[in-house]
Amino acid sequence: MFKKVTENFVCEHCGREVVGNGYTNHCSKCLWSKHVDVDPGDRLETCQGLMEPISAEESGGEWSLIHQCQKCGFVRKNKISKEDNFREVIKVSRK
């Protein structure tokens, strides 16, 4: 079950300060994330590994990123936001 958590964070991959909106789960500049949730928003994951954007896909006009944890291998799909660097999304989609 999704739990909305509004929090800011510093991207551990590129160092950018990211302002969260309750749905933000990755850096809008480099698109990297962090493995912090078992279920979206719960902050119960103990892994805490960095999640690399390994792919992107478009379906019905909506784009999603596919992230893979560099520590444990977990894979999760996340929708992009209007703040995301779309050039990076396209670059990731070509992987």
Side-chain angles (χ1 to χ4, degrees):
M1 182 172 185
F2 173 79
K3 181 179 178 185
K4 184 177 178 181
V5 178
T6 304
E7 59 191 3
N8 302 333
F9 61 93
V10 175
C11 176
E12 291 183 30
H13 183 257
C14 74
R16 180 186 188 120
E17 292 185 24
V18 179
V19 176
N21 64 11
Y23 302 99
T24 308
N25 77 328
H26 59 268
C27 175
S28 58
K29 179 181 175 187
C30 70
L31 309 180
W32 280 65
S33 187
K34 187 169 180 178
H35 195 186
V36 295
D37 295 334
V38 173
D39 292 311
D42 66 13
R43 303 304 187 255
L44 296 176
E45 180 54 62
T46 59
C47 174
Q48 302 294 301
L50 288 181
M51 295 187 72
E52 178 183 6
I54 59 168
S55 185
E57 61 186 30
E58 184 270 333
S59 178
E62 285 194 346
W63 281 87
S64 294
L65 293 168
I66 313 300
H67 287 104
Q68 182 172 32
C69 181
Q70 298 300 288
K71 187 173 177 182
C72 73
F74 179 76
V75 175
R76 176 171 276 155
K77 185 188 293 190
N78 298 288
K79 291 181 183 179
I80 69 164
S81 71
K82 64 181 180 171
E83 291 83 18
D84 288 343
N85 180 344
F86 199 70
R87 286 183 183 164
E88 286 297 312
V89 173
I90 297 300
K91 199 184 304 183
V92 168
S93 74
R94 294 181 179 149
K95 285 186 177 180

